[in-house]
Structures are given as C-alpha cells and as structure tokens.
Amino acid sequence: MVPTPKVIIDQDSDPDATVVEITFGDRLGALLDTMNALKSLGLNVTKANVYLDSSGKHNKFCITKASTGRKVEEPELLEAIRLTIINNLLEFHPESSSQLAMGATFGAEPPKETVDVDIATRIRVHDDGPDRSLLYVETADHPGLLVELVKTITDINVAVESGEFDTEGLLAKAKFHVSYKGKALIKPLQQVLANSLRYYLRRPTTEEASF
C-alpha cells in the first residue's frame, strides 16, 4: 500500500514562523532537496523535529522570510511553498504521483480515482469568539487553490487572519480565521461566504494556466 502524502501549512501554532509538516508513511528521507528548494524561494528553513506515529514519520519545518525574518503571510508565497513541496514529492517519490491530485498534471502516474468536486466540497462557518469566525473548507485539490480561496474570501470584504491549509492526497482541507471589520461574521454574511466559495469551487472549469 502506498501511503497518503500529507502536507500541512500551519499559520497558527507559532506566532513567529510558518510551520510546515510533511508525512508520507515511512518513506521520506532527509528532505534536504526540499529544504534547498524552499530556500531558493527566499525563505529561511530550519528543521524543527521529526516524530513517528501510526501514520508514519512526520517532518516539521519552521519557515520565515529571509528578507524580514517573519512568518510568511502572502497567499501566493504560501501556495509556492505548497507546490514546491509537492513537486519534490513527485520527483523523489514518484510512487506518490498516484496519490496526489497534482500527479495528474505533473507526476509520473495520474491518480486511479478522481474526486467529484460536488460530493467532496464541504464548507462550514461558525463563531470563534466575538472578534472572528472559523471557516472550514474541504474540496478537491488543484494547483493555485490556496490563492483562489483567499481571493474569493477577500473579494466579499472578509478579512483572512490566519489558518491552516492541509493537502491530504487528492483533497485539500483549509481552516481560516476570518472577520468582517474586526468582528465575527453575522449569520447572513456567513451564508454569503459559504455560497461564494461553493459557487467558485463547483465551477465546471478552473483557470490553471498561471500555475
């Protein structure tokens, strides 16, 4: 059995750094090529720790921008981090190709199954205190998804504060803290946000040319 590759981009757990976690069963090596590829994006990358559990070996990195020493905030750069890691997985572990959505475009072997976006897409919004709400999105993965989600949210004047973006095989799972004018989203705006995301994600075609 080929394990499910997972890439987690965590903006919540460390106030000063973006934490990235990579898991692919027990098949990951030292990931030096991945670290070097991330450094070429203008990032400082330090290996935080490695731990084992029933799902495999988890490799954690702390990432900051070399120019500022601060965590990465730009969605475009966060997406570049995600795609760089996935491209390295596809290059150094070609067997991951059949397990990743990107394998259909960039890998040696496309996934044997495809994800029905209508079935896979789940969106939930609920309050997370008086000043912000928590948005959960689960959908079929594709290149550029993180950037497009943030753009769809901000296009309706909802602010994205922080969150976590997980690539789990063919699926992407996002958790964003969001607010409107410094407050949690009222119910009608929660519905507008959910409808906007659902409309975007279920469009029959997705622009991928720039990725």
Side-chain angles (χ1 to χ4, degrees):
M1 282 290 291
V2 179
T4 300
K6 297 180 184 178
V7 179
I8 297 172
I9 298 177
D10 177 6
Q11 293 287 77
D12 283 343
S13 62
D14 189 321
D16 302 314
T18 298
V19 178
V20 173
E21 182 177 326
I22 309 170
T23 308
F24 187 43
D26 60 356
R27 302 181 181 220
L28 290 177
L31 292 173
L32 295 177
D33 293 283
T34 299
M35 292 176 72
N36 288 331
L38 292 172
K39 288 175 182 175
S40 72
L41 296 176
L43 302 167
N44 292 324
V45 185
T46 57
K47 199 158 194 172
N49 65 350
V50 178
Y51 67 93
L52 287 166
D53 64 14
S54 59
S55 65
K57 183 167 68 172
H58 300 252
N59 291 262
K60 277 193 173 185
F61 301 86
C62 288
I63 296 176
T64 56
K65 293 177 67 176
S67 59
T68 63
R70 297 180 178 275
K71 71 194 304 178
V72 179
E73 300 286 358
E74 300 87 345
E76 292 82 5
L77 188 49
L78 290 169
E79 179 69 349
I81 291 169
R82 186 175 83 98
L83 294 183
T84 297
I85 293 168
I86 289 172
N87 282 332
N88 272 45
L89 267 171
L90 292 170
E91 181 178 352
F92 295 104
H93 297 278
E95 71 274 22
S96 70
S97 176
S98 64
Q99 302 288 97
L100 287 160
M102 310 296 182
T105 309
F106 305 113
E109 181 183 347
K112 294 179 176 62
E113 299 177 8
T114 57
V115 175
D116 187 314
V117 175
D118 286 338
I119 295 173
T121 299
R122 296 179 177 87
I123 299 167
R124 290 178 288 134
V125 190
H126 62 77
D127 290 343
D128 186 29
D131 299 329
R132 65 185 190 179
S133 299
L134 200 54
L135 166 67
Y136 290 97
V137 181
E138 181 175 330
T139 192
D141 191 23
H142 65 259
L145 179 60
L146 195 159
V147 176
E148 294 158 356
L149 285 176
V150 173
K151 183 180 185 302
T152 302
I153 296 166
T154 55
D155 276 353
I156 58 172
N157 298 317
V158 172
V160 179
E161 298 172 22
S162 63
E164 181 179 303
F165 194 91
D166 301 355
T167 307
E168 191 170 320
L170 304 179
L171 295 174
K173 300 177 181 181
K175 178 182 73 176
F176 296 115
H177 297 292
V178 294
S179 63
Y180 179 70
K181 295 184 177 179
K183 298 293 182 185
L185 275 58
I186 61 174
K187 294 296 182 185
L189 187 53
Q190 290 182 12
Q191 192 62 52
V192 169
L193 175 59
N195 289 345
S196 297
L197 288 167
R198 198 168 282 112
Y199 172 77
Y200 160 70
L201 292 168
R202 291 181 174 179
R203 288 185 308 175
T205 57
T206 302
E207 295 285 342
E208 295 184 3
S210 59
F211 298 93

